[in-house]
Amino acid sequence: MAIKIENLDYVYMQGSPFEKKALDNINIEIKDGEFVGLIGHTGSGKSTLVQHLNGLLKPHSGHVFINEHETTEKGEKLKKLRCDVGLVFQYPEHQLFEETVYKDIAYGPTNLGLPKEEIDIRVRDAARCVGLPPEVLDKSPFDLSGGQKRRVAIAGVIAMKPSVLVLDEPTAGLDPAGREEILSQIKSIYDEGNMTVILVSHSMEDVARLVNRLIVMNEGKVFADGTVDEVFSRGRELRNIGLNVPQVNVLIDELVARGLNINPNIYTVENAKNELIEYFKRIKEGGENA
Amino acid sequence: MLKAENLLYSYDNGVKKVDTVLDNLNLNIKKGEFVAVLGHNGCGKSTLAKHFNGLLLPLGGDVYVQGINTKDEEMLWTIRRQVGMVFQNPDNQIVANVVEEDVAFAPENLGIPSAEIRKRVDDALKTVDMYRYRKHAPHLLSGGQKQRVAIAGAIAMRPECIVMDEPTAMLDPMGRAEVMETILKLKAQENMTVVLITHYMDEAAMADRVVVMDDGHIVVDDTPRNVFSQVELLKSLGLDVPQVTELAYSLNKEGFDVNYDVLTVTECADAIMDYVRSIKSGN
């Protein structure tokens, strides 16, 4: 079991007029090797939740366990936990600071006190993982494009060899091509099979294609938790809590409402195309009544 | 209102000359138009935006704001007063600790009498629907609210035109909807000229006109309908089309005669239902 969250509560600015219950009785278990999408609009508590995963925030009540260790542990054990869970924050490229890409990626492993050879292996491996060509390693990170900077930042976390990789809004602010690139890179990192991946996003379209499981947060609670199909079948409810269901899913809903006999659980353009082609063929053969 | 003539620009990082960012670009935006500018990262759209209020000056060609050349140094402040800018990150644009003080920042710097400032700030906050938050601290607002405060700050200068560089990029769907609603309202009620740089095709679909840039050039300049029907071209430029347009187009390509001149869910549903009826009547 990679992650176990039990009855987790968290309150911001407790005792002040601005007191806000950010997390309200959260119970989640995530197994090794899962690829989970965590979705919710701004203020739903998803960033607060991921900050509990490596002990940046401690529960006000309840428990968070990472690989059987509780996040309230201190000293060496907490350090170990922070190595286990790699957190990539929003706009991680703002955290780059070193003279070269190589040094930036090496920063974490160097602080672990690893031997030089091991650091070198990790840096090159992490760079390959995120699709950075070797010649970039000697450049200043500040001379790179936005998408490349972001990949350097992600590589810095991967070089720590975490068993759980958490990415908070990794595609924010990128253009469609950049989004596509980062997402397929994350997918291939997951496919290498060494990590549990949690992808935090408010874009259902991005996440739906990749993950095996979706957790939807709303007002500090888990609103839905299941396979992509299970969660999307509650499309109208999701829209009511301010999430944008893929446009094509709204279209399919509309077509079903207008009387087409098609599968309502469709959220990619590709699947919608195939489903409609099947339907067109059926009615061409006269299989469907008018 | 805004005019770029043979505009040429390139960045010089002091070491080596980088490629030309804007290459002989021509664009004319009329008063009251709502123009969306699309293009992948690095195509020059932000560079173009910065020319519209003299933040950058052309290396070749000219940019005119209301007929004034941005190279005319003496008129620079007049130009800046007429073109309000809103950028991507709301946190970088907010300067004061109270919402209404933040909105008052620009008019104060223009040396406007305080009674007039009061009125402008109140009007601007009402326009973006943030009046009841006027005494709040900006850092406790949501992203969409912060961005609306930034827009209020720009319109409190009473500009003729507002240029927004990806104002919704950092916002969630609700915040995006708030900002888009504000833009449409500015256009409808104030006849404001709006230039919106965006990566979101659904936002561009709401504009009067869509300008697509690639490699420092304008590739397409037309109504949203005519632009988005060019699915292959947009894809080749690294851009998306709305999902419903893409679906209708791909059905068409597979030999099903669905009209793909559609931008919204309703239009696409209509097109598919029309096609279904045509098959049934053929049977």
Side-chain angles (χ1 to χ4, degrees):
Chain A
M1 190 69 58
I3 298 170
K4 190 170 179 184
I5 301 169
E6 282 178 359
N7 307 320
L8 169 61
D9 282 347
Y10 190 82
V11 185
Y12 277 114
M13 295 197 257
Q14 204 163 20
S16 83
F18 298 108
E19 180 170 309
K20 185 175 184 264
K21 194 159 198 179
L23 295 176
D24 187 358
N25 195 27
I26 305 282
N27 287 284
I28 296 171
E29 284 186 13
I30 294 173
K31 293 191 204 61
D32 284 321
E34 276 197 273
F35 192 173
V36 178
L38 182 61
I39 295 199
H41 66 80
T42 311
S44 61
K46 54 192 196 312
S47 294
T48 309
L49 180 63
V50 298
Q51 289 177 59
H52 277 86
L53 297 181
N54 70 349
L56 281 175
L57 295 177
K58 313 280 183 185
H60 283 146
S61 67
H63 306 274
V64 178
F65 299 95
I66 308 295
N67 299 327
E68 319 297 332
H69 291 286
E70 188 156 14
T71 56
T72 48
E73 286 175 356
K74 294 194 168 62
E76 277 305 306
K77 283 184 173 167
L78 180 62
K79 201 172 159 189
K80 163 85 173 61
L81 195 132
R82 294 232 160 111
C83 296
D84 276 352
V85 181
L87 212 54
V88 180
F89 289 101
Q90 286 180 31
Y91 296 88
E93 60 274 23
H94 296 167
Q95 297 165 41
L96 300 175
F97 66 99
E98 275 285 11
E99 288 163 23
T100 67
V101 169
Y102 186 96
K103 282 189 189 171
D104 216 302
I105 300 175
Y107 181 76
T110 307
N111 282 344
L112 291 180
L114 295 173
K116 225 177 152 202
E117 300 73 39
E118 170 69 13
I119 293 173
D120 190 65
I121 293 171
R122 286 197 179 196
V123 169
R124 292 182 190 283
D125 203 43
R128 179 193 54 79
C129 248
V130 298
L132 285 172
E135 61 269 22
V136 171
L137 290 175
D138 297 326
K139 285 193 181 170
S140 161
F142 302 102
D143 286 344
L144 305 178
S145 75
Q148 278 184 324
K149 277 187 204 165
R150 191 164 295 185
R151 283 193 260 167
V152 173
I154 296 174
V157 173
I158 290 177
M160 300 289 284
K161 295 224 169 153
S163 61
V164 179
L165 180 67
V166 185
L167 302 116
D168 195 354
E169 297 280 357
T171 60
L174 298 179
D175 63 7
R179 282 208 285 271
E180 199 51 50
E181 236 175 74
I182 288 277
L183 288 173
S184 63
Q185 213 64 250
I186 292 169
K187 173 88 171 110
S188 73
I189 291 168
Y190 171 75
D191 286 341
E192 288 194 15
N194 307 320
M195 274 182 265
T196 306
V197 179
I198 300 178
L199 185 58
V200 182
S201 177
H202 48 233
S203 165
M204 302 278 240
E205 298 171 31
D206 285 354
V207 175
R209 290 174 296 139
L210 297 177
V211 302
N212 326 118
R213 175 178 169 196
L214 266 181
I215 298 174
V216 182
M217 303 270 304
N218 187 41
E219 294 183 349
K221 295 190 174 77
V222 174
F223 178 84
D225 181 355
T227 64
V228 176
D229 278 343
E230 283 164 4
V231 171
F232 272 80
S233 64
R234 301 169 64 181
R236 217 167 280 274
E237 286 173 77
L238 295 174
R239 266 175 270 163
N240 288 342
I241 63 166
L243 289 171
N244 64 337
V245 175
Q247 195 186 27
V248 62
N249 185 258
V250 181
L251 173 76
I252 295 292
D253 229 36
E254 173 76 23
L255 291 173
V256 171
R258 291 195 192 189
L260 293 201
N261 182 15
I262 49 176
N263 174 10
N265 295 331
I266 284 173
Y267 36 84
T268 65
V269 171
E270 187 62 26
N271 290 348
K273 184 185 93 178
N274 295 334
E275 180 71 18
L276 283 169
I277 288 176
E278 284 307 309
Y279 179 77
F280 292 155
K281 284 182 180 158
R282 284 206 303 275
I283 54 172
K284 272 190 180 163
E285 289 157 10
E288 301 270 338
N289 299 325
Chain B
M1 172 73 229
L2 298 175
K3 194 163 150 193
E5 271 181 7
N6 307 321
L7 173 58
L8 202 77
Y9 193 82
S10 67
Y11 289 101
D12 191 340
N13 65 5
V15 184
K16 57 169 198 276
K17 196 96 169 162
V18 293
D19 295 340
T20 305
V21 181
L22 294 174
D23 190 5
N24 210 17
L25 182 139
N26 288 286
L27 180 65
N28 195 354
I29 294 170
K30 289 197 266 313
K31 173 77 193 147
E33 256 190 315
F34 173 14
V35 180
V37 181
L38 293 176
H40 61 80
N41 285 348
C43 73
K45 32 189 215 313
S46 296
T47 307
L48 175 64
K50 287 179 183 148
H51 277 88
F52 285 138
N53 73 346
L55 279 175
L56 293 176
L57 295 176
L59 294 180
D62 293 288
V63 173
Y64 298 93
V65 174
Q66 300 265 63
I68 307 168
N69 193 319
T70 57
K71 283 177 186 160
D72 186 345
E73 255 178 69
E74 288 185 1
M75 297 300 281
L76 189 59
W77 296 107
T78 312
I79 289 171
R80 295 234 167 118
R81 215 168 297 174
Q82 287 178 3
V83 182
M85 299 277 284
V86 175
F87 296 99
Q88 192 181 95
N89 189 342
D91 292 321
N92 295 347
Q93 299 168 74
I94 286 173
V95 292
N97 296 322
V98 182
V99 165
E100 62 178 12
E101 285 177 16
D102 192 81
V103 177
F105 181 76
E108 271 175 349
N109 284 336
L110 296 178
I112 292 164
S114 56
E116 169 71 11
I117 293 180
R118 177 79 256 167
K119 189 176 174 319
R120 285 193 182 193
V121 168
D122 289 347
D123 287 351
L125 283 170
K126 282 174 188 161
T127 304
V128 301
D129 198 19
M130 285 297 289
Y131 185 66
R132 71 205 126 123
Y133 291 96
R134 64 193 180 281
K135 303 283 187 198
H136 281 234
H139 72 278
L140 294 175
L141 300 174
S142 75
Q145 289 172 331
K146 282 184 204 167
Q147 204 57 302
R148 282 187 285 155
V149 171
I151 295 173
I155 61 180
M157 296 199 309
R158 300 270 160 93
E160 294 288 322
C161 168
I162 185 157
V163 176
M164 308 201 202
D165 192 355
E166 295 189 42
T168 60
M170 298 178 79
L171 306 183
D172 67 2
M174 251 191 246
R176 280 174 52 201
E178 288 167 14
V179 168
M180 287 313 293
E181 211 174 289
T182 306
I183 292 175
L184 294 174
K185 193 169 153 194
L186 282 176
K187 180 186 147 51
Q189 292 180 4
E190 323 269 326
N191 193 30
M192 186 82 77
T193 310
V194 179
V195 178
L196 173 70
I197 296 176
T198 184
H199 285 318
Y200 290 106
M201 307 303 141
D202 50 335
E203 293 176 5
M206 293 181 209
D208 302 324
R209 176 176 164 198
V210 175
V211 171
V212 182
M213 287 184 62
D214 186 48
D215 204 13
H217 300 273
I218 290 176
V219 200
V220 191
D221 179 353
D222 211 326
T223 62
R225 196 166 292 283
N226 291 342
V227 170
F228 288 122
S229 56
Q230 303 181 51
V231 179
E232 293 295 319
L233 174 71
L234 291 176
K235 294 234 150 188
S236 74
L237 297 173
L239 297 173
D240 277 338
V241 295
Q243 284 194 327
V244 290
T245 316
E246 189 183 346
L247 174 65
Y249 176 78
S250 63
L251 285 170
N252 206 278
K253 232 174 62 176
E254 297 278 342
F256 301 91
D257 189 22
V258 176
N259 177 17
Y260 64 89
D261 180 10
V262 295
L263 288 178
T264 65
V265 167
T266 311
E267 286 175 8
C268 184
D270 288 345
I272 289 172
M273 295 309 287
D274 282 346
Y275 180 66
V276 167
R277 269 189 291 275
S278 77
I279 304 177
K280 284 180 177 169
S281 63
N283 275 346

